[in-house]
Amino acid sequence: QAVKQGDLLFRIDPRPYQDALARGNASLVALDRQIELTQRTVNAQQYNAQSVRAAVERARAAASQASDTLHRMEPLVSHGYVSAEDVDRARTAQRATQAELSAAQLQAQQAVAAVSGVDALVAQRAVVMAEISIAELNLEYSTVRAPFDGRIVSLETSTGQFASALKPVFTLIDTRHWYVVANFRETELKGVRAGTPATVYLMSDTGQRFQGTVDSISYGIAPDEAGLALPGGLPRIQRTLNWVHVSQRFPVKILIDKPNPELFRVGTSAVAVLEPGRGNDGERH
């Protein structure tokens, strides 16, 4: 079945992801409200701390005035200008104002320590936002659309069937670009590079020829000699003769200019002719 980019391929039940998204949005609204209320409390605590600091300044001024008064009166007792009783009252006032200053300073420290913040709630909000992003992504994943124009093959599911993670339900072939991969001997690759013109014939209809250009040439294949096994990832190309050393073959990837969508299929046999130079005879594989 042919599909266009953006066509709906299948849809997973979105309700669990919709519920997760709704729950995340509700948590965000509640948390924002909590941050707002907490910020009001923090503001009130800050105002109280400022008020207590002002009270400390008043107590400090009163204590300073009482100390100055006492210091002025003490030398006057010996001259009889003030009585001892007046000095005692001044000394008592000085001690009282000093005690009030100490109490005000303690209250100021308590007020400053009582000032909280919303940093923890703001950090929690970032967590909720991340959860919402994940929920939105999962909800988006529940609707699978074709990422490109192509053709669906190997369909292994039907309506109502459960889909399992990491288990394919069909294969989507990209029909926007078609490539032919031909294995050329290393002795035939002289002058061949990306952009080299090529002519391709399909075994399904040898009467039609298609023009193309070399897209890339493999820079490595897996050696088949004993003791030279390499990690996976490189193409393995079997040699046609085992009893004589022959030239190794390397994959050449050819991009077809105007492919016939009715003829080109993945795995179709083809013949490729490269033209590494103008007027030179092509090399056939």
Side-chain angles (χ1 to χ4, degrees), residues 105-208:
Q105 289 174 337
L106 290 176
Q107 291 178 356
Q109 293 176 358
Q110 292 175 351
V112 171
V115 176
S116 58
V118 295
D119 294 343
L121 295 177
V122 171
Q124 185 178 351
R125 189 180 191 277
V127 174
V128 174
M129 290 295 297
E131 293 175 349
I132 291 176
S133 297
I134 294 175
E136 290 175 342
L137 185 61
N138 289 333
L139 182 59
E140 181 181 348
Y141 284 162
S142 66
T143 300
V144 180
R145 298 185 179 276
F148 45 75
D149 295 348
R151 187 177 294 274
I152 295 177
V153 297
S154 302
L155 183 62
E156 299 178 359
T157 186
S158 59
T159 303
Q161 183 175 350
F162 286 94
S164 301
L166 303 180
K167 182 179 179 181
V169 293
F170 59 81
T171 299
L172 180 61
I173 298 176
D174 186 354
T175 58
R176 297 173 301 175
H177 308 287
W178 284 96
Y179 297 89
V180 170
V181 178
N183 299 323
F184 284 87
R185 294 187 179 90
E186 52 192 324
T187 56
E188 300 172 336
L189 295 178
K190 182 179 180 180
V192 177
R193 58 182 57 86
T196 297
T199 301
V200 173
Y201 301 88
L202 299 182
M203 290 294 189
S204 58
D205 188 351
T206 57
Q208 296 190 47

Side-chain angles (χ1 to χ4, degrees), residues 192-247:
V192 177
R193 58 182 57 86
T196 297
T199 301
V200 173
Y201 301 88
L202 299 182
M203 290 294 189
S204 58
D205 188 351
T206 57
Q208 296 190 47
R209 65 178 181 177
F210 301 91
Q211 300 300 318
T213 55
V214 173
D215 179 78
S216 61
I217 304 172
S218 175
Y219 277 86
I221 60 173
D224 53 8
E225 286 83 356
L228 294 179
L230 297 177
L234 293 177
R236 181 177 295 277
I237 301 176
Q238 298 294 333
R239 294 180 176 179
T240 55
L241 296 176
N242 295 326
W243 52 273
V244 65
H245 188 78
V246 297
S247 300

Side-chain angles (χ1 to χ4, degrees), residues 271-283:
V271 173
V273 179
L274 300 181
E275 302 173 5
R278 290 182 180 274
N280 295 340
D281 292 334
E283 296 172 335

